[in-house]
Amino acid sequence: MKLLVDTNVIISGLFGSRSYPGQVMRHWRERHSQWVTCEQQLEELTRVMGTPYVMDKVEGTFGSAYAFMMEFHAHTDCLVIEPPFAPLCRDPFDDYLLAMMDRYPIDFLISGDKDLLSLKGSHPKILSPRELIDRL
């Protein structure tokens, strides 16, 4: 299964392995799903992972934020997605995720973002972490 996992789910998954995002993360770490990303998401993830709050919470869970980023780069396919992105989401910073879904064969976009989840009617491939886990 090819998944595009929103940054909010990745960060939440790093904070707790028993949570739904944590279960999504474990599914990936055990290589039961293939994740895809793009340069826009890598920039966002790198920025968020570098904040003291996230770094402090990740320490001990994955060894370090750096160790997680190395694993993420090694085991996630990076796709190229060039603007422009159609303005489909209330948050224009999420439009690249929808563009990826439109341009590549991705099974599901996993997100906890209410702006993205509100589009499920027109984009049925958008699932919350819980919805994904319930399907597995």
Side-chain angles (χ1 to χ4, degrees):
M1 179 181 322
K2 194 175 285 194
L3 302 176
L4 173 56
V5 180
D6 197 357
T7 302
N8 65 64
V9 175
I10 295 169
I11 298 299
S12 296
L14 291 170
F15 291 170
S17 62
R18 294 180 188 216
S19 66
Y20 286 109
Q23 292 175 53
V24 171
M25 180 72 67
R26 186 173 56 249
H27 193 261
W28 169 74
R29 291 194 83 213
E30 294 172 356
R31 309 296 178 248
H32 297 297
S33 61
Q34 177 186 5
W35 284 12
V36 297
T37 190
C38 64
E39 193 62 37
Q40 290 86 344
Q41 184 179 35
L42 288 173
E43 289 173 9
E44 177 185 21
L45 188 57
T46 300
R47 186 182 71 254
V48 174
M49 289 292 290
T51 63
Y53 175 77
V54 172
M55 290 179 77
D56 287 345
K57 290 194 77 136
V58 172
E59 292 295 328
T61 306
F62 281 85
S64 70
Y66 177 78
F68 168 73
M69 288 302 293
M70 293 299 294
E71 181 180 5
F72 188 80
H73 279 276
H75 298 288
T76 304
D77 293 335
C78 189
L79 307 175
V80 176
I81 186 85
E82 295 291 333
F85 308 125
L88 300 172
C89 190
R90 291 185 298 215
D91 181 353
F93 292 108
D94 289 331
D95 286 331
Y96 76 91
L97 296 168
L98 298 169
M100 284 183 67
M101 286 181 48
D102 289 341
R103 297 176 192 178
Y104 289 101
I106 296 168
D107 294 309
F108 297 106
L109 165 59
I110 310 306
S111 182
D113 185 319
K114 291 179 183 175
D115 289 330
L116 288 168
L117 292 171
S118 70
L119 299 173
K120 286 169 47 172
S122 60
H123 289 82
K125 291 184 172 187
I126 299 174
L127 300 176
S128 70
R130 181 180 184 157
E131 289 170 323
L132 175 68
I133 295 302
D134 288 347
R135 287 177 180 234
L136 298 177

